[in-house]
Amino acid sequence: MTTQAVLQEVASSERVITSRRKRRRDPSRSRSKKSFTMFLCIVPFVVLVFVFSYLPLYGWIFSLYDYQPALGLKGSQFVGLQWFQMLVSSPTQMAQIGQVLINTLAMSFLGIATSFLPIVFAVFLNEVKSGWFRNVVQTLTTLPNFISWVLVYMIAFSMFSSSGLVNSVLTDSGLITTPIKFLDSDSHVWLTMLLWSLWKGLGWGAIIYLAAITGIDPALYESAKIDGAGRFQLMRYITIPQLMPTYVVLLMLSVANLLNNGMDQYYVFHNAFNMQHIQVLDLYVYMVGLTGNNLSLATAIGMLKSVISVILLITVNLIAKRVRGTSII
Amino acid sequence: MAIATDAAPHTDARPHRAKSERPVHLKRTAGEKTFSVINYAVFALFALICAYPFYYLIINSISANDISALGDVRFFPVGFHLSNYAQVFQLQGLTLATAVSVARTVLGTVGTVLASAFLGFMFTQERMWGRAFWYRFTVITMYFSAGLIPVFLIIKGLGLTNNFWVYVIPFLVQPFNIILVKTFVESMPRSMQEAAEMDGANILQVFFRVYLPNMTPILATVAIFSAVAQWNMFQDTLIYITDQSLYTLQYLLYMFINQANSLATAAQNAAGGNLSAIASSATSQTPTSIQMTVAVVVVLPIIFIYPLFQRFFVKGIMLGAVKG
């Protein structure tokens, strides 16, 4: 969405601070008093940020204990790195974690591999000249973005269950005799998950590029046309290159988010049949911690995940600084 | 747009005429025309794929339940009746869940909008003590998370599990929205503040009287984002709530999908066990009919409100993306 603007804002926030206001006439004491009063206004919110984002970091200590909620931290046994060792010691655990990691990375890479589609969408929609048609397409294709994954699952269920629309159409047309189990099958889980994400997010993802296209200097098109560029050449040599900076920023962000693919989508679609290939890290942490009640192990896994994510973010940021001269955070 | 050169795509034939009437560099080659036709067709198809499932849910929720259960209602409602809605609203918990969903959406949105507006504004105040630090302190939380379990334990420790306020309080400070507002405020003239302060207004008065009324475009965007997020949030009920009286519509829908078989019983109970009332097979409840009807109840507010507000968030995104 506005990620690019947001990121650039974050990157450039510092240069504003030292300018202009330094030369005010106020006596410095009343100034600093006023300045502190202003800070007091935002204290409640700073506390909220601290409590919900920073204080939980303290909870990482649970990964060193065999934490029993009933006993509290004091009553629980200190086990050191036992949980981390456990992750790599038992072959079954390793295999499970390995599968979860493969799923996580597979879904992320499929997402990255298809991340050019919103650009294609935007560029081609920009070629549609009929205003009402564009509006209708934009309205209808962004609609799925605004419903929850539960509803997406409900839609999937009503259309692809054994008595659903698709099976009914296929049976009536004589193509199949027994219903296909679209939802209860372990084959093609990655693909179906990707298709549902695309269905939900493609139209919305294109909005930022459509916005960026309206920001392209018309003079570029004019001069290219004078040089004899046709419609496709304009797309290829002007529109797409102009969208690249936005794309690169979003791409780097998705690389930094390699391990964070959320759990809503996979939670609503998971069942006993497709569990092996649908379980991603976030869902796994939930399952181990809150369903399986092993809070310490889940904390350990979540902690490793967070640390790797931050390292990825810093790396990507460094690369961005090298290559583009601007950082993304 | 700059490359808007040609007319509607159905002017496909008669190239000689197009040639004579248009300036040379505007003429369309056969390839471009084929492209146009395919382009329109592909977009029409994709729009249809996006919209049809919603239509499908709606026509099925008002069709004869025995036909709909077979997946045979495809293009038009068959055997129109509204008794599904009458039944569904008698289901235990549905009215309450609707109330909880509405309450969290309203309170959560108002809270988030006000907090984003206020913080976004305050972070433009260069005089504020430690502004740069507190701004970073807030914004950086977009990029890391301690993880599900530690956050769960904190929320539990604060007594927010099985508490309505867990739907509102943790979402008050949204760095993304704050940055949107801050960018917007920075584009407003600074003299507004200086004039107000000259008249003796303090910082809160400047915010509420001068800036807040002028922030509507960006606040509308923030409001839509958080309203949709609140209405759709599902995970927090799953994690933090076990008390049935605090279930949201989304969570109830998820349970209904997963408990298909007990649903028909629930509907019969709702009908007071009066079998003659539900004797007609066309209107008697099936799991599918209930699921679809609840789904429509969940999705209708979005379908109705969304087109009305679309221009706001498209504009909001333009504000963010193009400026940045």
Side-chain angles (χ1 to χ4, degrees):
Chain A
M1 294 150 280
T2 47
T3 323
Q4 188 197 21
V6 165
L7 294 174
Q8 290 184 352
E9 161 68 14
V10 178
S12 64
S13 65
E14 293 321 301
R15 78 185 131 76
V16 200
I17 296 163
T18 46
S19 64
R20 282 190 300 197
R21 295 270 146 178
K22 272 191 170 165
R23 285 167 285 120
R24 282 183 75 92
R25 290 155 291 122
D26 310 14
S28 63
R29 254 179 82 211
S30 86
R31 247 197 84 194
S32 68
K33 198 178 151 200
K34 199 172 179 185
S35 142
F36 195 73
T37 319
M38 283 165 82
F39 167 68
L40 288 181
C41 296
I42 66 162
V43 163
F45 300 100
V46 170
V47 170
L48 278 182
V49 174
F50 177 76
V51 167
F52 291 111
S53 297
Y54 290 90
L55 204 53
L57 290 173
Y58 166 77
W60 280 5
I61 204 171
F62 294 124
S63 65
L64 303 176
Y65 286 81
D66 182 11
Y67 182 67
Q68 305 292 334
L71 302 174
L73 195 60
K74 287 214 177 77
S76 303
Q77 198 194 343
F78 181 82
V79 294
L81 294 175
Q82 183 203 300
W83 297 115
F84 295 95
Q85 279 166 358
M86 204 182 121
L87 284 179
V88 290
S89 59
S90 114
T92 27
Q93 183 76 33
M94 274 289 271
Q96 203 175 16
I97 288 269
Q99 183 65 48
V100 168
L101 272 178
I102 290 172
N103 295 342
T104 309
L105 294 176
M107 310 267 192
S108 292
F109 279 119
L110 283 174
I112 290 174
T114 51
S115 64
F116 69 94
L117 286 175
I119 292 198
V120 174
F121 187 102
V123 168
F124 281 78
L125 189 62
N126 190 50
E127 294 298 315
V128 168
K129 299 308 173 226
S130 151
W132 70 266
F133 186 81
R134 280 170 63 126
N135 281 339
V136 169
V137 167
Q138 240 186 305
T139 307
L140 295 182
T141 54
T142 45
L143 184 56
N145 177 67
F146 289 91
I147 64 169
S148 65
W149 277 109
V150 178
L151 257 163
V152 175
Y153 179 63
M154 178 66 231
I155 284 168
F157 190 79
S158 69
M159 309 197 83
F160 293 97
S161 71
S162 46
S163 63
L165 175 78
V166 173
N167 271 317
S168 140
V169 169
L170 289 177
T171 319
D172 287 0
S173 59
L175 287 173
I176 54 166
T177 45
T178 46
I180 301 174
K181 289 184 181 300
F182 288 104
L183 296 168
D184 297 342
S185 138
D186 197 31
S187 45
H188 319 304
V189 179
W190 295 349
L191 182 67
T192 45
M193 288 300 104
L194 174 72
L195 290 176
W196 282 113
S197 316
L198 284 178
W199 179 78
K200 195 172 189 289
L202 185 55
W204 178 254
I207 283 192
I208 184 171
Y209 297 113
L210 285 166
I213 287 176
T214 62
I216 298 176
D217 186 355
L220 286 174
Y221 289 110
E222 297 301 332
S223 52
K225 268 188 277 184
I226 289 167
D227 289 346
R231 198 169 175 182
F232 300 110
Q233 286 168 317
L234 290 180
M235 282 162 67
R236 188 170 155 202
Y237 294 110
I238 311 259
T239 314
I240 293 176
Q242 290 286 315
L243 294 180
M244 275 302 129
T246 311
Y247 176 67
V248 171
V249 170
L250 293 179
L251 184 68
M252 287 193 292
L253 255 196
S254 53
V255 171
N257 277 322
L258 214 53
L259 296 183
N260 307 315
N261 29 27
M263 73 170 247
D264 272 24
Q265 177 183 4
Y266 310 104
Y267 183 82
V268 294
F269 274 95
H270 91 267
N271 54 46
F273 304 97
N274 63 16
M275 201 57 174
Q276 200 194 344
H277 287 109
I278 208 172
Q279 199 165 38
V280 294
L281 260 177
D282 288 319
L283 182 58
Y284 187 64
V285 169
Y286 171 82
M287 291 291 181
V288 170
L290 294 179
T291 315
N293 237 341
N294 194 338
L295 292 175
S296 290
L297 180 59
T299 308
I301 302 170
M303 183 178 152
L304 287 178
K305 198 201 96 173
S306 299
V307 170
I308 296 174
S309 295
V310 169
I311 293 174
L312 273 176
L313 183 72
I314 293 172
T315 316
V316 167
N317 199 37
L318 277 179
I319 296 173
K321 252 185 203 159
R322 279 276 163 75
V323 178
R324 303 181 59 235
T326 53
S327 52
I328 60 165
I329 32 172
Chain B
M1 267 314 304
I3 36 178
T5 54
D6 42 22
H10 56 263
T11 56
D12 43 8
R14 294 174 299 187
H16 55 281
R17 208 184 127 197
K19 201 174 183 178
S20 63
E21 279 177 10
R22 289 182 177 142
V24 178
H25 68 283
L26 291 184
K27 95 179 161 191
R28 296 192 304 163
T29 63
E32 287 183 347
K33 256 176 284 169
T34 323
F35 163 77
S36 253
V37 171
I38 296 175
N39 200 21
Y40 274 73
V42 170
F43 275 115
L45 183 68
F46 188 61
L48 196 69
I49 292 175
C50 285
Y52 177 73
F54 296 96
Y55 178 71
Y56 179 79
L57 286 181
I58 294 172
I59 56 172
N60 270 276
S61 72
I62 55 175
S63 288
N65 292 334
D66 49 351
I67 305 179
S68 131
L70 298 171
D72 284 341
V73 179
R74 287 169 200 169
F75 301 109
F76 301 104
V78 181
F80 175 82
H81 70 100
L82 286 174
S83 66
N84 282 337
Y85 288 88
Q87 294 291 326
V88 151
F89 272 100
Q90 288 172 35
L91 277 178
Q92 211 185 354
L94 192 106
T95 325
L96 190 58
T98 311
V100 172
S101 276
V102 169
R104 74 170 291 178
T105 304
V106 171
L107 287 173
T109 304
V110 170
T112 306
V113 167
L114 280 178
S116 308
F118 184 62
L119 285 176
F121 168 74
M122 289 306 280
F123 283 134
T124 65
Q125 299 298 306
E126 285 144 23
R127 289 168 295 169
M128 186 170 76
W129 180 72
R131 181 197 86 135
F133 175 79
W134 296 117
Y135 181 58
R136 287 225 160 148
F137 180 84
T138 310
V139 163
I140 226 165
T141 59
M142 279 204 299
Y143 300 108
F144 72 85
S145 155
L148 179 75
I149 306 297
V151 173
F152 169 77
L153 291 171
I154 292 286
I155 288 200
K156 199 175 170 196
L158 291 170
L160 283 174
T161 42
N162 280 330
N163 184 330
F164 173 77
W165 294 103
V166 77
Y167 291 143
V168 177
I169 295 174
F171 296 102
L172 282 178
V173 181
Q174 303 274 1
F176 190 82
N177 294 340
I178 291 170
I179 297 173
L180 276 185
V181 175
K182 178 172 174 277
T183 316
F184 186 82
V185 172
E186 276 165 355
S187 73
M188 293 161 84
R190 203 153 256 287
S191 48
M192 282 164 54
Q193 180 173 1
E194 279 159 6
E197 279 176 351
M198 210 83 86
D199 293 340
N202 66 31
I203 194 75
L204 292 178
Q205 286 167 325
V206 170
F207 170 70
F208 282 108
R209 298 255 183 90
V210 181
Y211 276 80
L212 193 60
N214 286 307
M215 283 185 203
T216 356
I218 199 71
L219 295 189
T221 309
V222 171
I224 294 153
F225 286 158
S226 52
V228 170
Q230 283 281 353
W231 182 257
N232 284 338
M233 194 72 76
F234 156 74
Q235 207 181 340
D236 50 6
T237 315
L238 177 72
I239 295 173
Y240 303 123
I241 302 289
T242 50
D243 180 353
Q244 295 201 3
S245 64
L246 290 171
Y247 283 176
T248 56
L249 266 183
Q250 304 285 345
Y251 191 72
L252 217 58
L253 176 63
Y254 180 74
M255 299 220 314
F256 283 170
I257 305 174
N258 272 334
Q259 302 172 348
N261 296 325
S262 56
L263 269 179
T265 333
Q268 280 181 13
N269 292 339
N274 183 355
L275 285 176
S276 65
I278 52 168
S280 150
S281 69
T283 55
S284 75
Q285 313 301 305
T286 64
T288 325
S289 72
I290 296 179
Q291 287 157 1
M292 289 190 181
T293 312
V294 177
V296 173
V297 172
V298 176
V299 82
L300 269 190
I302 292 183
I303 292 185
F304 276 128
I305 294 173
Y306 157 79
L308 298 177
F309 286 92
Q310 198 198 11
R311 63 195 178 92
F312 280 112
F313 64 73
V314 171
K315 206 182 280 172
I317 284 163
M318 302 283 184
L319 283 175
V322 177
K323 266 176 55 70

